[in-house]
Amino acid sequence: MTALSGTTIIETAERVCGEWTARLLADFGAEVIKVERPGGSPTRRFGPPVANGSSAVFAYANTGKKSVVLDLETPEGCAALERLLARANALIDDHTPAWCANRNLAPEDLSARFPRLVQCHITPLGQDASEDMARAFPINIAAAGGWAWHTPSESGDSDPPLMGASPFMPDFDTGYDAALATAASLFHQRRTGEGQAIDLSEVAVQLSRADVVLGRVLAGDDEPSHSRRRYDMGGPGRVFACADGHVHLIMTTARHWRGLVGLMGDPAWAQEFPEDWLEFHCTPERVASFREHFRSWIADKPRDAITHEAHRRSVMLAPVNLAPDLFTNLQYRHRGFFQTLDGIDTPAAPYRMTASPPRLTHPAPEPGADDRELAA
């Protein structure tokens, strides 16, 4: 038994955010029935492809699901969806309010017909946004939520805003919050028999992640400003080149400094820095001097060996991994993070639960692979 065994979720989502939400719930044993348009979900055609030619993004966000094909532009398709919803515990959708209203999937309509149903509606700015703000791409979400401007740390004011570590990073962030809200609502449903509608804003998710930026302003440590450097954490940390790649250093306390000095073998130049310089004397001149010395010292060091030794000394020095590094990482392998589905190593859940462990049961389905569900 897993946490959501016996739970049926209908997914009408056609973007990564909604698909990822339902995938997280499928990991815990929910029966997720994915409703696809004729020809399949648009995300099936997103790049890059995996070994079998299918979309890597789709394969990742849709493991463990069933698939039925319905044409929701027709009365017959909408009637079939209605039958699925009648036996479901929850609905996951990421379309615009207008799209939902045209298919009788608006929150108030669903609540009237299915008062026990948990509905999770994911939109860029919430259900009450104006119609011209009802659609957005992930980069729009990241930009509107502030992340594109204030990351990466120490960007110059003349640099362009960040395009994103992944074109779908805001989608995955949103999915975690949406899955959490849905799971909480399902718990409420089990206790009371009542459903509820979740109105989730993707931009609000990004704002909720900006705790460092907003926290510093609210605490009075910084003033709101257009300068991208206003929100840096301070300290000399950044990415440095080593012998076989790059490492990222974060260093903000005296303990970090003592550990790093020991790692470097107590060089003479380090004695010029007060032990508490990171907390009380972190001047631009000292930052520049440190970086010049450390850059020279780290240049001929092997990435993995030096980061392992740094960790022993409580120094926050991390390897900057490339994609192949992640698949061979010993810790990920030890935790069983990657599971093999159809011969492809697939990332699983980043958490373990003793009583209800998340599992990848089967690969993403082919379109309409489970159309028999419509007759159930």
Side-chain angles (χ1 to χ4, degrees):
M1 292 290 292
T2 52
L4 294 177
S5 293
T7 302
T8 298
I9 295 172
I10 307 303
E11 177 210 304
T12 52
E14 293 190 304
R15 296 190 289 131
V16 173
C17 53
E19 292 182 338
W20 180 239
T21 301
R23 144 73 201 266
L24 293 169
L25 300 171
D27 286 350
F28 285 107
E31 178 193 42
V32 176
I33 301 175
K34 182 177 184 64
V35 175
E36 301 194 64
R37 65 174 69 186
S41 172
T43 56
R44 288 185 179 274
R45 294 176 285 281
F46 287 2
V50 289
N52 60 10
S54 63
S55 163
V57 174
F58 184 88
Y60 180 48
N62 290 279
T63 61
K65 300 179 185 179
K66 297 178 177 180
S67 170
V68 300
V69 172
L70 294 177
D71 187 353
L72 298 184
E73 305 299 322
T74 67
E76 294 78 12
C78 290
L81 176 58
E82 193 85 353
R83 292 193 295 273
L84 290 175
L85 291 173
R87 62 184 180 89
N89 298 95
L91 168 72
I92 307 295
D93 186 81
D94 58 11
H95 292 92
T96 67
W99 187 95
C100 290
N102 290 337
R103 292 157 183 80
N104 294 320
L105 296 178
E108 58 275 13
D109 294 335
L110 285 171
S111 295
R113 301 198 311 279
F114 306 109
R116 190 175 178 276
L117 186 71
V118 170
Q119 316 165 38
C120 184
H121 295 272
I122 303 169
T123 56
L125 288 165
Q127 291 289 306
D128 55 355
S130 60
E131 188 172 351
D132 62 334
M133 302 293 284
R135 294 174 61 87
F137 289 102
I139 185 59
N140 303 136
I141 303 299
W147 280 98
W149 181 247
H150 81 80
T151 54
S153 181
E154 299 196 14
S155 297
D157 291 347
S158 61
D159 292 341
L162 180 70
M163 287 296 291
S166 158
F168 303 110
M169 190 66 74
D171 293 85
F172 293 121
D173 275 348
T174 296
Y176 280 112
D177 279 22
L180 175 63
T182 302
S185 296
L186 286 168
F187 180 70
H188 175 78
Q189 180 195 71
R190 287 187 180 185
R191 295 187 65 184
T192 67
E194 298 174 353
Q196 55 185 313
I198 302 164
D199 176 2
L200 198 139
S201 161
E202 297 168 73
V203 171
V205 169
Q206 294 298 296
L207 286 169
S208 73
R209 300 294 193 270
D211 54 342
V212 173
V213 178
L214 298 178
R216 287 173 63 86
V217 173
L218 294 173
D221 294 335
D222 238 325
E223 294 292 334
S225 167
H226 289 295
S227 172
R228 300 174 76 180
R229 297 175 184 271
R230 297 292 295 176
Y231 306 125
D232 290 342
M233 289 295 293
R238 69 179 341 173
V239 173
F240 296 90
C242 56
D244 53 354
H246 292 81
V247 294
H248 187 269
L249 174 69
I250 295 178
M251 190 171 61
T252 58
T253 69
R255 183 184 180 190
H256 297 159
W257 174 240
R258 289 192 297 270
L260 187 65
V261 169
L263 178 68
M264 295 186 296
D266 297 308
W269 61 264
Q271 308 310 313
E272 302 173 4
F273 291 76
E275 185 168 319
D276 62 354
W277 73 278
L278 292 167
E279 290 126 317
F280 303 108
H281 312 285
C282 192
T283 64
E285 293 76 19
R286 283 200 173 100
V287 168
S289 175
F290 166 81
R291 287 175 175 170
E292 180 180 355
H293 287 295
F294 185 73
R295 186 178 294 109
S296 298
W297 178 83
I298 196 73
D300 62 350
K301 303 298 186 294
R303 187 192 68 173
D304 292 344
I306 200 63
T307 53
H308 290 163
E309 180 60 25
H311 296 166
R312 290 184 59 252
R313 298 172 180 267
S314 299
V315 176
M316 294 190 289
L317 187 70
V320 178
N321 286 315
L322 303 178
D325 300 325
L326 301 177
F327 288 99
T328 58
N329 183 279
L330 294 178
Q331 181 64 15
Y332 292 154
R333 289 292 177 185
H334 169 70
R335 287 182 59 85
F337 178 67
F338 292 101
Q339 297 183 28
T340 302
L341 294 176
D342 271 5
I344 299 173
D345 280 346
T346 305
Y351 34 77
R352 290 177 171 181
M353 300 175 71
T354 54
S356 55
R359 297 187 181 95
L360 302 185
T361 56
H362 58 268
E366 292 298 318
D370 302 279
D371 281 349
R372 63 184 181 278
E373 293 287 335
L374 298 174

